[in-house]
Amino acid sequence: MIHYFQSENANSVFKIQGEGAYVYSKLTHTYERCNLYAEILTQKQKYHEIDEREAKRLIHQLEGEEVSLARHQNMKLHKAIAFASVAHAGQYRKGTNIPYIVHPFEVAQILSEAGAEEDIICAGLLHDIIEDTSYTATDLEKEFGKRVSELVLACTQECEGCWEQRKQHYLDYLTREATLDTMMISCADKLANIRSSKENYEKEGERFWGRFNSGKEGHSWYFSKLIDAFAPLRNYNMFWELNAIYKELFVVCYQGENVLYQTNGWETYVYRKESEKWVLENLSQAELEKQPLQKIDENEMRRIVMKWEMED
């Protein structure tokens, strides 16, 4: 049986089918899975149950509004593109001659592909404005409205301290306070960054990490924790791409006699054939390199685990 719901402000239509929740996307013109199942069923003031006929009427209305708003939205995005281009003029990506504006453009593209709303895409274009330029949240609110300004401010790291303290402060914010909209912008930002890291690593090898004071191990720690914090975005492709590139860059797998190791440079897990489970072990990657182990890829590691489990 399918149950339909509308949001409090009637700008979204949801359906509950079985144990899954779905939201109607004006981008794809179909229902897409979301992670609001429990929230829809428990927050009665925010989500109101409606019948199928009313759901279809609301969708028709929303689609009509989408057409009428398209021109206005395009102009707002155009304005954000121009604003970001001027604000970041003369800035370059770290260690390169690539204009910095390429990064906000990529963030906006990732958000657009994820079906994000206009204000979220605009905030993605502008997400580094407060942190890296002379413009303020007040300037952004004047030009793009309160919501865009608040989203950009939420993505701005203003904590003092060393690199690790600042990153931990931001991780704490993501896990305790960040909204799903803010997480989407942050995830898109980090995905664009790790794509760039992968490209540069393929060109320069291990010396690439010398550009950063935190080094490879620090980046591995930070992105690992980011992936944990972004768990609410597991229904989005950008989450899984971030996870996949992280493994390519940082995770190394080893095989020994009846034992497997998996390390990201700062944590090591071991899987022994007799125990059939992964266990955290106090071993560094340097120590693993000294042992008579064979490096294998993740697919081979999974194949071995499956084989061992089937043998029992």
Side-chain angles (χ1 to χ4, degrees):
M1 186 175 182
I2 302 176
H3 296 271
Y4 295 90
F5 297 81
Q6 70 176 61
S7 59
E8 186 177 12
N9 54 11
N11 65 359
S12 296
V13 179
F14 302 86
K15 72 174 181 179
I16 297 292
Q17 186 172 7
E19 296 183 355
Y22 304 81
V23 59
Y24 186 83
S25 168
K26 292 181 286 186
L27 183 70
T28 61
H29 309 290
T30 188
Y31 284 97
E32 295 187 353
R33 196 176 183 91
C34 64
N35 61 344
L36 297 174
Y37 181 83
E39 184 175 330
I40 291 171
L41 292 180
T42 57
Q43 298 189 23
K44 301 297 185 181
Q45 292 183 338
K46 189 174 180 181
Y47 302 96
H48 307 292
E49 188 165 4
I50 56 178
D51 59 27
E52 184 178 6
R53 183 176 179 180
E54 177 63 9
K56 289 181 177 179
R57 188 193 68 79
L58 283 172
I59 288 171
H60 181 73
Q61 177 181 316
L62 291 171
E63 294 285 7
E65 290 174 352
E66 186 73 6
V67 172
S68 64
L69 287 172
R71 185 175 180 181
H72 167 75
Q73 292 176 344
N74 288 339
M75 289 306 298
K76 190 171 186 179
L77 287 171
H78 174 81
K79 185 178 180 181
I81 290 170
F83 191 97
S85 298
V86 172
H88 290 296
Q91 296 178 355
Y92 296 88
R93 295 289 281 165
K94 188 169 185 175
T96 75
N97 60 357
I98 299 172
Y100 191 83
I101 193 60
V102 169
H103 172 65
F105 284 176
E106 184 173 6
V107 171
Q109 180 188 35
I110 293 168
L111 290 168
S112 179
E113 291 172 352
E117 298 174 9
E118 172 202 22
D119 280 347
I120 297 175
I121 298 172
C122 285
L125 281 164
L126 304 166
H127 75 277
D128 279 330
I129 292 290
I130 298 174
E131 191 171 341
D132 293 337
T133 78
S134 60
Y135 289 100
T136 66
T138 303
D139 296 326
L140 292 182
E141 182 173 349
K142 181 180 178 181
E143 295 292 333
F144 301 99
K146 186 175 182 180
R147 188 182 182 213
V148 171
S149 175
E150 288 178 343
L151 285 169
V152 174
L153 196 58
C155 295
T156 302
Q157 301 180 45
E158 295 184 307
C159 173
E160 296 182 357
C162 67
W163 180 87
E164 187 172 351
Q165 290 173 325
R166 288 185 282 111
K167 299 307 180 186
Q168 186 61 59
H169 177 81
Y170 188 63
L171 290 167
D172 291 342
Y173 166 74
L174 285 174
T175 55
R176 297 172 186 173
E177 302 177 42
T179 64
L180 197 65
D181 293 345
T182 303
M183 280 193 182
M184 287 184 70
I185 298 168
S186 183
C187 185
D189 173 32
K190 301 308 182 275
L191 173 56
N193 283 336
I194 204 169
R195 282 176 176 175
S196 177
S197 294
K198 178 184 175 182
E199 181 182 12
N200 287 307
Y201 178 76
E202 289 173 348
K203 293 177 181 176
E204 303 177 31
E206 292 297 320
R207 66 187 180 91
F208 161 70
W209 303 109
R211 295 185 188 179
F212 308 96
N213 293 331
S214 59
K216 184 176 182 179
E217 185 175 333
H219 272 65
S220 176
W221 165 80
Y222 184 45
F223 275 93
S224 174
K225 295 300 183 182
L226 282 168
I227 290 169
D228 290 342
F230 292 143
L233 300 176
R234 292 173 71 90
N235 290 328
Y236 291 90
N237 289 336
M238 61 179 168
F239 171 86
W240 293 108
E241 185 182 349
L242 177 66
N243 188 58
I245 297 177
Y246 171 80
K247 288 180 178 179
E248 287 182 48
L249 285 176
F250 300 111
V251 177
V252 183
C253 305
Y254 300 87
Q255 178 186 5
E257 186 175 357
N258 294 325
V259 64
L260 298 170
Y261 296 94
Q262 187 174 214
T263 182
N264 58 9
W266 65 281
E267 279 185 337
T268 298
Y269 286 84
V270 59
Y271 185 101
R272 292 185 172 85
K273 184 177 180 181
E274 66 271 15
S275 63
E276 293 189 354
K277 62 180 180 180
W278 287 101
V279 178
L280 183 65
E281 193 155 303
N282 187 23
L283 277 172
S284 68
Q285 188 167 352
E287 290 172 313
L288 290 173
E289 293 285 354
K290 295 177 182 178
Q291 297 186 31
L293 302 171
Q294 177 185 356
K295 283 186 180 180
I296 57 175
D297 62 29
E298 185 181 13
N299 290 332
E300 176 65 9
M301 181 192 68
R302 290 178 177 175
R303 188 193 66 79
I304 294 170
V305 169
M306 186 178 298
K307 178 185 175 183
W308 287 352
E309 290 176 348
M310 291 178 66
E311 286 177 356
D312 293 340

